[in-house]
Amino acid sequence: MNHLLTIEWVPERKGKIVPGFIRAVDQTRLPAELVFLEIRTVADLRSAIKTLQIRGAPAIGVAAAFGLVLAAQESKSTGVAGMLADVMRAAVNLASSRPTAVNLFWALERMKKKAAGANNLPAEEFKRKLALEAVAIFEEDRKICRLIGEHGLELLKGKKSVLTHCNAGGLATSQYGTALAPIYLAHEKKRPLHVFVDETRPLLQGARLTAWELTQAGIDATLICDNMAALVMKEGRVDLVIVGADRVAANGDSANKIGTYGLAVLAKAHKVPFVVCAPTSTFDLKTSSGEKIPIEQRGREEITTMAGKQIAPEKIKVYCPAFDVTPASYISAIVCENGVCRPPYEKSLRRACGAKI
Amino acid sequence: MNHLLTIEWVPERKGKIVPGFIRAVDQTRLPAELVFLEIRTVADLRSAIKTLQIRGAPAIGVAAAFGLVLAAQESKSTGVAGMLADVMRAAVNLASSRPTAVNLFWALERMKKKAAGANNLPAEEFKRKLALEAVAIFEEDRKICRLIGEHGLELLKGKKSVLTHCNAGGLATSQYGTALAPIYLAHEKKRPLHVFVDETRPLLQGARLTAWELTQAGIDATLICDNMAALVMKEGRVDLVIVGADRVAANGDSANKIGTYGLAVLAKAHKVPFVVCAPTSTFDLKTSSGEKIPIEQRGREEITTMAGKQIAPEKIKVYCPAFDVTPASYISAIVCENGVCRPPYEKSLRRACGAKI
């Protein structure tokens, strides 16, 4: 288990929650260096999210919640009305940093509600309430990941080797991760389990982050290129595919890192179960199906350059979607903090969202 | 059309075919630089093949043929008997440079037969005969690629967009390429055709070589990461997948660059035809099925480093097969210089090999 905190709120002085700042692992520097960012402004946070220094759907949600505390702190208004207006503006600003992960919007909505309800308090108390709510989101995320791990563990019974894509581990969340949570728990319980790690082009979150996390934790893992997943499945070396999600529509269609959909098609062709792990904050019941999930397009240099070196001709056209959508029909189960959802997902996801945490 | 000669035999003096040397594009330096190697020894050739400075099944075959001329040239024997022994030793040496592409063995066998049949000639004449045979293999390869292009062109009728993997273009052969030959011919005939180019991890032959070739030729091409192929198929943007092969077994099972098998599974799931283009020298009728094709494993650093930079933790285990085998059941057609082979391949491949070129 990775005890490193990917993201946290650090008060400037002991015993007082505000003022404070965000401390976060700079995920673009791994695995070469473990560097921590200290973020004190909304502008810096927005930039850290856009450049993927902070990434992973749950971690982005937590970061955005902390971001609204920063907005209140850096507000030039002394009165709460002006401070609230600044918080609302920051929420709009942060919401546009990345379009696909719904946890971002979920966390901002929850914080905005808290801010609006606290607008009759003194300024210091207003900031304190916001910080407490953001820290609550952070703490819940840790508990939720642990619960996802426990529910997901059932699905790992009898499985010797799983395959994962991108990074849905501790680095993507406050601690345990989503797709990696059951793997960490299996390891804690000393159940032998091998993990194939897709390197996950173009930004190599699998090679840089998942491989690093699992190696640190002493878990038996093998790195492969994304295009080798089909072969290891054909060789009978994958008992289950387990991935995270950036947004799950009401019918179970799940957006996740580009390449996930292809993996799901390959898993079905090889009769390998395909499992999505995500907190209910990733479930977007207002979006009826995957076709309505907006897919972020990233810049061409993510594909044409590597470590600052040109790896493709400059004139070539590039298509660079950051995510794809896996139709529910390819998904064997969706694991959340409230249990294991099975098809038909219209019913089971709704039930999971209604349940108490 | 790419008029660049990837590999050729260059006589030291005009009017005399031997002594000479191999001139070849260093494919590891593209697309940044177009650098030509001048290879004068078997040891240097073996190293160039092993490090993929020279790559692509047909180009490796041609290179090996030229290599046996180098062996005769650098022989310390003045008599033909000793020279022949050196040629045979070089053939063993070159045969072990890469295990999967069968063109290598095919070209060496053909050259060995020629050498054995010429062992009663004077030394100079022996070397000249070998060089003529190697140049004949080279010239045939150019004609064969053009014929593959013509036969393959039929399959492109009505197709607006194709997807290819790795590099089976002019850089992989003496000139036109195999999988890219029909694309070049369509372009010559001014038929509009768009090409999706898989970047092809780990060594990025698609991004570095295919994207470069197609851009040079003015063909409309879009570079994608391998894990985006499923999405572009789902979006209905791929009418046909077209790839080369390193070895085709008697039953049609085809070994090609790692990732090809996964593409074939995805193509079938999306009802997209999947076509293999390869000369009959790639057909290995002595190997009954794909399970018997040896698959080369490459070094871990091909996945864990990029442009000299570590992109994965040093301790992580790695699996790095260079090729995979696509079962014949996924292949819609195999195009060779003698026509379009259709299932059942046991019959059609045999017929294609029996036909005159």
Side-chain angles (χ1 to χ4, degrees):
Chain A
M1 176 49 221
N2 165 33
H3 288 290
L4 172 82
L5 282 182
T6 301
I7 186 162
E8 62 181 321
W9 180 255
V10 185
E12 298 278 3
R13 274 157 293 176
K14 245 190 168 175
K16 266 195 81 179
I17 195 165
V18 280
F21 60 89
I22 301 169
R23 180 184 286 143
V25 174
D26 181 348
Q27 301 202 31
T28 61
R29 306 280 284 273
L30 286 171
E33 299 170 300
L34 180 57
V35 176
F36 289 88
L37 304 167
E38 297 195 349
I39 296 172
R40 289 184 163 82
T41 68
V42 173
D44 285 353
L45 177 62
R46 180 182 157 84
S47 152
I49 293 173
K50 274 189 88 81
T51 59
L52 313 193
Q53 291 178 302
I54 297 173
R55 54 148 292 285
I60 291 173
V62 169
F66 289 152
L68 295 196
V69 188
L70 296 182
Q73 282 181 187
E74 63 180 321
S75 172
K76 284 179 183 133
S77 299
T78 47
V80 163
M83 216 172 258
L84 179 63
D86 284 334
V87 165
M88 294 302 182
R89 255 192 297 277
V92 171
N93 182 7
L94 289 172
S96 69
S97 59
R98 296 200 72 189
T100 304
V102 81
N103 311 57
L104 173 64
F105 311 117
W106 170 88
L108 290 172
E109 280 311 310
R110 183 163 152 183
M111 290 294 289
K112 276 159 65 180
K113 207 173 281 176
K114 179 58 70 172
N119 75 339
N120 54 352
L121 297 177
E124 275 313 294
E125 190 56 18
F126 174 80
K127 286 189 267 187
R128 210 178 70 88
K129 282 274 183 213
L130 278 189
L132 287 172
E133 185 73 1
V135 169
I137 289 174
F138 164 81
E139 291 291 353
E140 283 167 26
D141 186 50
R142 296 176 66 173
K143 278 184 212 147
I144 282 167
C145 288
R146 169 102 203 171
L147 287 167
I148 288 174
E150 283 167 11
H151 295 303
L153 196 56
E154 291 170 40
L155 302 178
L156 294 187
K157 264 186 199 154
K159 310 295 185 198
K160 288 187 185 137
S161 185
V162 302
L163 184 146
T164 191
H165 188 69
C166 196
N167 175 264
L171 287 166
T173 67
S174 310
Q175 197 169 14
Y176 266 78
T178 53
L180 296 194
I183 294 168
Y184 282 125
L185 284 190
H187 185 66
E188 279 182 19
K189 291 180 192 300
K190 303 208 188 312
R191 293 199 204 153
L193 186 68
H194 171 263
V195 185
F196 278 109
V197 179
D198 269 3
E199 64 172 3
T200 317
R201 282 283 290 154
L203 294 180
L204 300 166
Q205 290 93 338
R208 295 190 302 106
L209 308 177
T210 302
W212 182 81
E213 272 195 56
L214 296 178
T215 309
Q216 291 272 316
I219 291 170
D220 183 25
T222 302
L223 179 64
I224 57 171
C225 295
D226 303 326
N227 65 24
M228 296 167 187
L231 178 59
V232 294
M233 288 188 202
K234 188 181 172 212
E235 291 172 341
R237 298 164 73 189
V238 178
D239 300 323
L240 184 105
V241 175
I242 192 161
V243 296
D246 291 80
R247 190 186 303 211
V248 179
N251 70 345
D253 293 353
S254 298
N256 191 44
K257 179 58 53 202
I258 185 70
T260 304
Y261 165 64
L263 268 186
V265 175
L266 293 172
K268 187 164 207 170
H270 293 89
K271 299 189 172 50
V272 172
F274 184 90
V275 172
V276 171
C277 294
T280 51
S281 57
T282 304
F283 297 176
D284 177 12
L285 302 184
K286 283 182 214 143
T287 295
S288 58
S289 78
E291 287 139 45
K292 289 169 189 154
I293 300 176
I295 297 298
E296 178 180 5
Q297 297 290 325
R298 307 276 307 172
R300 54 179 281 114
E301 64 289 349
E302 290 193 357
I303 299 185
T304 59
T305 65
M306 170 79 77
K309 195 184 157 187
Q310 193 77 20
I311 55 171
E314 287 189 18
K315 278 187 285 179
I316 190 78
K317 283 199 290 185
V318 164
Y319 177 53
C320 190
F323 304 95
D324 57 28
V325 174
T326 300
S329 57
Y330 289 93
I331 303 172
S332 319
I334 299 175
V335 182
C336 71
E337 68 273 26
N338 294 324
V340 177
C341 304
R342 298 278 188 180
Y345 292 114
E346 280 84 353
K347 280 189 187 173
S348 58
L349 296 182
R350 208 164 286 279
R351 210 181 310 128
C353 285
K356 284 262 164 71
I357 292 164
Chain B
M1 174 52 221
N2 165 33
H3 288 289
L4 173 81
L5 281 183
T6 301
I7 186 162
E8 63 182 320
W9 180 256
V10 185
E12 298 278 3
R13 273 158 294 175
K14 245 191 168 173
K16 266 194 82 179
I17 196 165
V18 279
F21 59 91
I22 301 169
R23 180 184 288 144
V25 173
D26 181 348
Q27 300 202 31
T28 61
R29 306 281 284 274
L30 285 171
E33 299 171 301
L34 179 58
V35 176
F36 288 88
L37 305 165
E38 297 194 350
I39 297 172
R40 290 185 161 80
T41 69
V42 173
D44 285 352
L45 177 62
R46 181 182 156 85
S47 152
I49 292 173
K50 273 189 89 80
T51 59
L52 313 193
Q53 290 178 301
I54 296 174
R55 53 149 293 286
I60 291 173
V62 169
F66 289 152
L68 295 197
V69 188
L70 296 182
Q73 283 182 187
E74 63 180 321
S75 173
K76 281 177 186 135
S77 299
T78 46
V80 164
M83 216 172 257
L84 179 63
D86 285 334
V87 166
M88 295 299 182
R89 255 192 298 277
V92 172
N93 182 6
L94 289 173
S96 69
S97 59
R98 297 199 72 190
T100 305
V102 81
N103 310 59
L104 174 63
F105 311 118
W106 170 88
L108 290 171
E109 281 310 310
R110 183 163 152 183
M111 290 294 289
K112 277 159 64 180
K113 206 173 281 175
K114 179 59 72 174
N119 74 340
N120 54 353
L121 296 177
E124 276 313 295
E125 189 57 17
F126 173 81
K127 286 188 267 186
R128 211 179 70 89
K129 283 272 184 214
L130 278 188
L132 287 172
E133 186 72 1
V135 170
I137 290 175
F138 164 81
E139 291 291 351
E140 283 167 26
D141 186 48
R142 295 176 66 174
K143 278 184 212 145
I144 283 168
C145 288
R146 169 102 204 173
L147 286 167
I148 289 174
E150 282 167 13
H151 295 304
L153 197 56
E154 290 169 41
L155 302 178
L156 293 187
K157 263 185 199 155
K159 311 295 186 198
K160 286 186 186 139
S161 185
V162 302
L163 184 147
T164 191
H165 189 68
C166 196
N167 176 263
L171 287 165
T173 67
S174 311
Q175 196 169 14
Y176 266 79
T178 52
L180 296 195
I183 294 169
Y184 282 126
L185 284 191
H187 185 67
E188 280 182 18
K189 292 181 191 298
K190 304 206 186 315
R191 291 198 205 156
L193 186 68
H194 171 262
V195 185
F196 278 109
V197 179
D198 268 4
E199 64 172 5
T200 317
R201 282 284 289 155
L203 294 180
L204 300 167
Q205 291 92 338
R208 295 190 303 102
L209 309 178
T210 302
W212 182 81
E213 272 195 54
L214 296 179
T215 309
Q216 292 272 316
I219 291 170
D220 184 26
T222 302
L223 179 64
I224 57 172
C225 295
D226 303 327
N227 66 23
M228 297 168 186
L231 178 59
V232 293
M233 287 188 204
K234 187 180 172 214
E235 291 172 340
R237 296 163 75 190
V238 179
D239 301 322
L240 184 104
V241 175
I242 191 161
V243 296
D246 291 80
R247 190 185 304 211
V248 179
N251 70 345
D253 293 353
S254 298
N256 190 44
K257 179 57 53 203
I258 185 69
T260 304
Y261 165 64
L263 267 187
V265 175
L266 293 171
K268 187 164 206 168
H270 293 89
K271 300 189 171 51
V272 172
F274 185 90
V275 172
V276 171
C277 295
T280 51
S281 58
T282 304
F283 297 175
D284 177 12
L285 301 184
K286 283 181 214 144
T287 295
S288 59
S289 77
E291 287 138 46
K292 290 169 188 153
I293 299 176
I295 297 298
E296 178 180 5
Q297 297 291 324
R298 307 277 307 174
R300 55 179 281 112
E301 65 288 349
E302 289 193 358
I303 298 186
T304 59
T305 65
M306 170 79 77
K309 196 183 158 187
Q310 192 77 19
I311 54 172
E314 287 189 17
K315 279 187 284 178
I316 189 78
K317 284 199 290 186
V318 164
Y319 177 53
C320 190
F323 303 94
D324 56 29
V325 174
T326 300
S329 58
Y330 289 93
I331 302 173
S332 318
I334 300 175
V335 182
C336 70
E337 68 273 26
N338 295 323
V340 177
C341 304
R342 299 279 187 180
Y345 292 113
E346 281 83 355
K347 280 190 187 174
S348 58
L349 296 182
R350 207 163 285 280
R351 209 180 310 129
C353 286
K356 285 262 164 71
I357 291 164

